[in-house]
Amino acid sequence: MANDLFEAARAAQEKAYAPYSNFPVGAAIRAGSGAIYTGCNVENASYPEGWCAETSAIGQMVVAGDLRIVEICVIGSADMVITPCGGCRQRLAEFSSPETRVFAAGPDGIRATYTMADLLPAAFSLEQDRSE
Ligand code: THU
Protein backbone atom coordinates (compact mmCIF):
# COMPACT_ATOMS: atom_id res chain seq x y z
CA MET A 1 0.00 0.00 0.00
CA ALA A 2 1.30 3.44 -0.87
CA ASN A 3 2.21 5.53 2.13
CA ASP A 4 -0.05 8.38 1.02
CA LEU A 5 -3.16 6.41 2.01
CA PHE A 6 -1.78 5.68 5.49
CA GLU A 7 -0.78 9.31 6.02
CA ALA A 8 -4.21 10.50 4.88
CA ALA A 9 -5.91 8.14 7.34
CA ARG A 10 -3.65 9.33 10.14
CA ALA A 11 -4.40 12.98 9.40
CA ALA A 12 -8.14 12.21 9.42
CA GLN A 13 -7.82 10.38 12.73
CA GLU A 14 -6.50 13.59 14.28
CA LYS A 15 -9.85 15.21 13.45
CA ALA A 16 -11.92 12.47 15.09
CA TYR A 17 -14.71 13.67 17.37
CA ALA A 18 -14.73 10.87 19.92
CA PRO A 19 -15.20 12.41 23.38
CA TYR A 20 -17.34 9.51 24.61
CA SER A 21 -15.26 6.50 23.60
CA ASN A 22 -11.88 8.24 23.46
CA PHE A 23 -11.30 5.93 20.53
CA PRO A 24 -10.35 8.11 17.55
CA VAL A 25 -10.50 6.40 14.18
CA GLY A 26 -9.44 7.65 10.75
CA ALA A 27 -10.17 6.21 7.32
CA ALA A 28 -8.81 6.95 3.87
CA ILE A 29 -10.29 5.60 0.64
CA ARG A 30 -8.44 5.49 -2.66
CA ALA A 31 -11.23 5.74 -5.21
CA GLY A 32 -11.49 4.76 -8.86
CA SER A 33 -10.37 8.19 -10.06
CA GLY A 34 -7.19 7.90 -7.97
CA ALA A 35 -8.35 10.54 -5.52
CA ILE A 36 -8.18 9.93 -1.77
CA TYR A 37 -11.17 10.65 0.49
CA THR A 38 -10.89 10.69 4.25
CA GLY A 39 -13.18 10.47 7.23
CA CYS A 40 -13.18 10.25 11.00
CA ASN A 41 -15.64 8.96 13.56
CA VAL A 42 -18.20 11.51 14.75
CA GLU A 43 -19.78 10.65 18.08
CA ASN A 44 -22.87 12.05 19.72
CA ALA A 45 -24.21 12.53 23.26
CA SER A 46 -27.00 10.24 22.13
CA TYR A 47 -24.53 7.42 21.64
CA PRO A 48 -26.22 5.40 18.86
CA GLU A 49 -26.36 8.52 16.67
CA GLY A 50 -22.60 8.63 16.22
CA TRP A 51 -21.00 7.15 13.13
CA CYS A 52 -17.77 5.57 12.00
CA ALA A 53 -14.75 6.91 10.15
CA GLU A 54 -15.42 4.66 7.15
CA THR A 55 -18.94 6.04 6.80
CA SER A 56 -17.62 9.62 6.83
CA ALA A 57 -15.09 8.75 4.10
CA ILE A 58 -17.75 7.10 1.93
CA GLY A 59 -19.83 10.29 2.14
CA GLN A 60 -16.88 12.39 1.01
CA MET A 61 -16.24 10.03 -1.89
CA VAL A 62 -19.82 9.94 -3.11
CA VAL A 63 -20.36 13.69 -2.95
CA ALA A 64 -17.21 14.12 -5.06
CA GLY A 65 -18.70 11.85 -7.72
CA ASP A 66 -16.46 8.81 -7.16
CA LEU A 67 -18.30 5.53 -6.72
CA ARG A 68 -15.60 2.86 -6.65
CA ILE A 69 -13.35 1.97 -3.73
CA VAL A 70 -9.98 0.57 -4.83
CA GLU A 71 -8.52 0.31 -1.33
CA ILE A 72 -9.13 1.67 2.14
CA CYS A 73 -6.95 2.19 5.18
CA VAL A 74 -8.48 2.36 8.66
CA ILE A 75 -6.40 3.52 11.60
CA GLY A 76 -7.03 3.30 15.33
CA SER A 77 -4.85 4.06 18.31
CA ALA A 78 -5.26 0.96 20.41
CA ASP A 79 -2.81 -1.88 20.56
CA MET A 80 -5.03 -4.04 18.39
CA VAL A 81 -6.12 -4.54 14.82
CA ILE A 82 -8.99 -2.19 13.97
CA THR A 83 -11.28 -3.64 11.33
CA PRO A 84 -14.48 -2.04 9.98
CA CYS A 85 -17.62 -2.82 11.99
CA GLY A 86 -20.36 -4.94 10.47
CA GLY A 87 -22.45 -1.99 9.31
CA CYS A 88 -19.45 -0.35 7.66
CA ARG A 89 -18.54 -3.59 5.90
CA GLN A 90 -21.94 -3.53 4.24
CA ARG A 91 -21.57 0.18 3.34
CA LEU A 92 -18.08 -0.43 1.92
CA ALA A 93 -19.35 -3.43 -0.07
CA GLU A 94 -21.75 -1.16 -1.93
CA PHE A 95 -18.76 0.53 -3.64
CA SER A 96 -16.20 -2.29 -3.53
CA SER A 97 -15.36 -5.50 -5.31
CA PRO A 98 -14.49 -8.71 -3.45
CA GLU A 99 -10.82 -7.91 -4.23
CA THR A 100 -10.88 -4.42 -2.70
CA ARG A 101 -8.04 -4.23 -0.19
CA VAL A 102 -8.67 -3.17 3.41
CA PHE A 103 -5.63 -2.13 5.44
CA ALA A 104 -5.94 -2.11 9.23
CA ALA A 105 -3.41 0.26 10.76
CA GLY A 106 -2.15 1.56 14.05
CA PRO A 107 0.08 4.57 14.67
CA ASP A 108 3.06 2.36 13.80
CA GLY A 109 1.75 1.41 10.37
CA ILE A 110 -0.23 -1.38 8.72
CA ARG A 111 -0.98 -4.27 11.07
CA ALA A 112 -3.12 -6.47 8.83
CA THR A 113 -4.36 -6.60 5.25
CA TYR A 114 -7.69 -8.06 4.16
CA THR A 115 -9.91 -8.11 1.13
CA MET A 116 -13.60 -7.28 1.21
CA ALA A 117 -14.24 -10.96 0.47
CA ASP A 118 -12.38 -11.79 3.71
CA LEU A 119 -14.40 -9.30 5.74
CA LEU A 120 -17.83 -9.81 4.21
CA PRO A 121 -18.15 -13.19 2.51
CA ALA A 122 -21.44 -13.96 0.78
CA ALA A 123 -22.29 -10.26 0.93
CA PHE A 124 -25.84 -9.13 0.35
CA SER A 125 -26.27 -7.42 -3.00
CA LEU A 126 -29.19 -6.83 -5.33
CA GLU A 127 -26.92 -7.27 -8.35
CA GLN A 128 -24.31 -9.87 -7.56
CA ASP A 129 -24.45 -13.25 -9.27
CA ARG A 130 -23.70 -15.79 -6.54
CA SER A 131 -23.85 -18.84 -8.84
CA GLU A 132 -20.10 -18.82 -9.56
N1 THU B 1 -15.27 3.07 14.96
C1 THU B 1 -14.95 3.50 13.69
O1 THU B 1 -15.02 4.70 13.41
N2 THU B 1 -14.57 2.59 12.78
C2 THU B 1 -14.36 1.27 13.04
O2 THU B 1 -13.94 0.54 12.15
C3 THU B 1 -14.63 0.74 14.37
C4 THU B 1 -15.24 1.68 15.34
C5 THU B 1 -15.63 4.07 15.96
C6 THU B 1 -17.06 4.11 16.40
C7 THU B 1 -16.95 4.76 17.75
O3 THU B 1 -16.94 6.18 17.59
C8 THU B 1 -15.60 4.33 18.27
O4 THU B 1 -14.89 3.84 17.13
C9 THU B 1 -15.66 3.25 19.32
O5 THU B 1 -16.41 2.18 18.90
Side-chain angles (χ1 to χ4, degrees):
M1 185 201 74
N3 209 42
D4 57 348
L5 201 65
F6 173 75
E7 291 300 339
R10 189 153 64 175
Q13 184 191 24
E14 284 172 14
K15 304 289 187 188
Y17 179 73
Y20 305 105
S21 71
N22 286 314
F23 195 85
V25 181
I29 290 170
R30 193 186 312 279
S33 72
I36 290 176
Y37 302 99
T38 62
C40 61
N41 50 338
V42 182
E43 297 186 346
N44 193 277
S46 177
Y47 297 167
E49 301 304 331
W51 65 87
C52 291
E54 297 89 327
T55 299
S56 296
I58 289 169
Q60 294 288 317
M61 179 187 78
V62 171
V63 80
D66 259 327
L67 295 177
R68 191 167 67 84
I69 300 173
V70 175
E71 54 186 8
I72 176 168
C73 178
V74 182
I75 180 171
S77 296
D79 217 16
M80 55 194 269
V81 174
I82 310 297
T83 55
C85 77
C88 284
R89 292 178 195 202
Q90 182 65 36
R91 291 186 199 101
L92 291 168
E94 183 75 19
F95 305 103
S96 298
S97 73
E99 295 78 33
T100 294
R101 294 173 297 277
V102 181
F103 302 102
D108 46 317
I110 304 302
R111 293 176 174 166
T113 302
Y114 306 92
T115 64
M116 280 304 294
D118 295 329
L119 296 182
L120 195 63
F124 170 74
S125 166
L126 294 175
E127 290 167 12
Q128 189 177 317
D129 178 0
R130 294 186 187 79
S131 63
E132 354 182 70

